[in-house]
Amino acid sequence: MMTTLYYPLLAHCSFDKNATLPIILFEAFIFAGVGASFFILRKVKDRIWLRFLVMSLGVLIFELFTSPMWNNYKMGQWAYVYHDVSWILTIGWTSLILGVVLLVDKFLERWKESQRFGVYLGVLTAIIIPLEMIVVNIGLRSYAPEVLQAISGIFILGVPIEVLYYIPVFTGLVIAFYKYWSFVIDDELLIPVKGRKWLRSLWIAFLGVFLFEVMIEPMVRNEKFPQWSYVFHDISIILLAAWVLIIGVAAVAIARFFIHYPIIQRFCIALIITSALVWPLESWLIINGYRVYGETAVKSYIGFKTPITNLPVEITFAIPFYMALIIAFIRYWETTLDNRL
């Protein structure tokens, strides 16, 4: 994913945090929006605080995983939780996405889940694009050099045309994460399925992994794979198959040994199994030059590596973050299709 350069204990928080008036006004707009969303949504659905926490967790996981791709500057000294990841933007994204999901579910409740999912993505894309233009033009948001090198170079008011892809992938993964856990929140009565449709599950896993890999392409390069294996830019079918196989191994293990465990425990076990398999593989790929991380991500490392795998601690934690979003995406669509929601 990154270059072989390494910057231990780099002053990764030395960016400009001093807020400007336009950014302060935008932050006030976010706070007002969050307050309004709570006032409105508590009349639409129960357990809003719990739903907000679940959605915000999905948003935060995504922000932490993809933080080397974006820069969020000048938001104030108190606005950041990790590097340039801001809790203000997190609650703003959470309120917006949760609001769209709950309102669409209310007004289109007779529509199938898959149809409503498409509406979520369409509405959010239409709303987020002008918001992205605002944050770019007031100096809050900019893009890492690797992102600028990977995109087409077509901009609309400072925003790359690729947001038409990035936004649906971002919101789609976060919404799937929330919707999967909403089955638990709502204690929804689901039809038990005796046999898993493995071919369908593998296809869903492949789709989720591929979409996410295309999005995070600027963060990491896949090199030295056979030329025939590249299906899009530097994304190799061999690596995609490896990630899907690892997810499949975890699914088989859970179906065989942990099927009667509560859903939260099964999810945690899936994260443990997949991460335990990915950590040594990712380490081997990096050491042997198959995965090359971009310089921006490398500069953000604090300099600590985990024992045994010798992975930077940031990558060690990023792997279960990645798997949490992908596994929730797979399980959400499996549950939706099995129950014909």
Side-chain angles (χ1 to χ4, degrees), residues 126-177:
I127 295 174
I128 292 174
I129 286 178
L131 291 176
E132 185 75 3
M133 292 175 179
I134 292 173
V135 297
V136 167
N137 284 281
I138 64 175
L140 186 159
R141 167 70 58 84
S142 63
Y143 306 101
E146 293 87 346
V147 173
L148 296 176
Q149 292 171 8
I151 61 180
S152 64
I154 301 174
F155 290 83
I156 302 175
L157 294 178
V159 175
I161 195 70
E162 283 76 8
V163 296
L164 292 172
Y165 175 84
Y166 289 160
I167 292 172
V169 173
F170 159 51
T171 55
L173 287 167
V174 171
I175 291 171
F177 180 89

